[in-house]
Amino acid sequence: MLIKFLFLWYFIQDARFEKEEKRILLNDPGLVEQRLNHLEQELQMLKIENQKLKASQSGNSAVYTRWGRKECPSNVSEIIYSGFAAGGWWNDKGSPTNYLCLPPDPIPSGKSVTTSCNHLFGVEYESGFWGPHSHNEDAPCAVCSSTSGSKMLMRPGRDTCYQGWTKQYDGYLGTNELHYVGATEYVCVDHSPSYLNAGERSTDGALFHPVTYQCGALQCPPYTGDEVVNCVVCTK
């Protein structure tokens, strides 16, 4: 309804120019094409604004973390904050299983302990798989709010969404290395990750390693042994 109303308003405002431009438009195909392209751009912008309006009115937009990037996908999401990927030490038995996206503006608790506690470290790309010179680079993250729905799904094994879902970003599954003690979840690391400013220096901490299919109980085909598992984050 909003799009129809706005287009009606647009044509009413534009009507007073039609008589003067009619003769020019009929004799100038290039100008006609220009006007049509302009209307298509206006329609696309109105659709985007309508999606944002629906999401803000419903208050139920999907919130997700984009691992490996400092920004959120344009046109389909809005950034809540850009931060630092973090997690437990890669080889600690008591490391929690989940990664965290730490905000850039922490508020100090004012309390300190040195025993009977756990630790939180930054995440490094612990493999050259993620891109040129990616080994030991520190990983960013961004927390995003979708403008295209309230449901979020990370789909492993695909880089496109099923019909009816909107793609936020795609990448490759990342987690801890096979032989390490610390347990971590599977997350979707962006296919073109960026790095933080610390530089290529091995300080370890929490790590991102790629994940591959292993045939056996997992049927091959349709899967392929030792192939890196891709992933996509979708909203609806």
Side-chain angles (χ1 to χ4, degrees):
M1 291 297 295
L2 176 62
I3 294 177
K4 291 181 179 179
F5 173 78
L6 290 173
F7 261 98
L8 179 61
W9 178 87
Y10 177 86
F11 281 113
I12 291 174
Q13 295 297 316
D14 201 47
R16 63 180 184 273
F17 299 106
E18 287 187 357
K19 289 184 179 180
E20 292 80 359
E21 293 185 352
K22 186 174 182 181
R23 182 175 300 175
I24 298 176
L25 289 172
L26 290 174
N27 297 322
D28 190 348
L31 187 56
V32 173
E33 184 178 358
Q34 182 180 357
R35 291 289 299 277
L36 289 174
N37 289 337
H38 177 72
L39 287 174
E40 288 178 358
Q41 293 173 4
E42 289 284 334
L43 176 60
Q44 184 63 30
M45 289 301 297
L46 288 170
K47 286 181 177 179
I48 293 171
E49 290 300 320
N50 192 37
Q51 287 179 340
K52 291 182 178 180
L53 180 61
K54 285 182 178 179
S56 63
Q57 288 177 340
S58 67
N60 293 322
S61 59
V63 175
Y64 64 92
T65 300
R66 187 184 192 185
W67 299 104
R69 298 288 294 189
K70 304 174 184 178
E71 68 285 331
C72 296
S74 60
N75 296 336
V76 292
S77 65
E78 297 175 345
I79 191 164
I80 298 176
Y81 67 86
S82 177
F84 306 90
W89 188 266
W90 60 274
N91 212 33
D92 282 346
K93 291 182 179 179
S95 288
T97 60
N98 60 313
Y99 296 100
L100 297 175
C101 188
L102 296 181
D105 52 350
I107 298 174
S109 68
K111 299 181 181 294
S112 297
V113 295
T114 57
T115 60
S116 300
C117 61
N118 213 309
H119 298 142
L120 194 57
F121 300 88
V123 176
E124 288 185 348
Y125 302 104
E126 196 65 8
S127 168
F129 166 80
W130 303 107
H133 312 294
S134 64
H135 184 63
N136 291 329
E137 289 282 3
D138 300 326
C141 55
V143 176
C144 310
S145 176
S146 166
T147 60
S148 59
S150 59
K151 301 175 184 177
M152 190 279 290
L153 175 67
M154 191 276 281
R155 174 73 67 179
R158 293 182 60 88
D159 58 5
T160 60
C161 300
Y162 289 127
Q163 186 175 0
W165 291 77
T166 299
K167 177 178 175 178
Q168 297 291 324
Y169 76 96
D170 68 275
Y172 305 99
L173 280 190
T175 190
N176 209 359
E177 206 270 348
L178 177 64
H179 300 99
Y180 297 160
V181 173
T184 52
E185 63 183 325
Y186 294 113
V187 294
C188 190
V189 181
D190 196 275
H191 75 280
S192 181
S194 56
Y195 313 137
L196 293 173
N197 297 326
E200 190 178 351
R201 185 166 59 91
S202 180
T203 56
D204 289 328
L207 307 174
F208 281 153
H209 283 269
V211 180
T212 60
Y213 296 116
Q214 297 299 303
C215 300
L218 185 65
Q219 296 184 20
C220 299
Y223 303 102
T224 302
D226 296 324
E227 183 180 72
V228 172
V229 183
N230 54 10
C231 55
V232 61
V233 172
C234 309
T235 56
K236 181 179 181 180

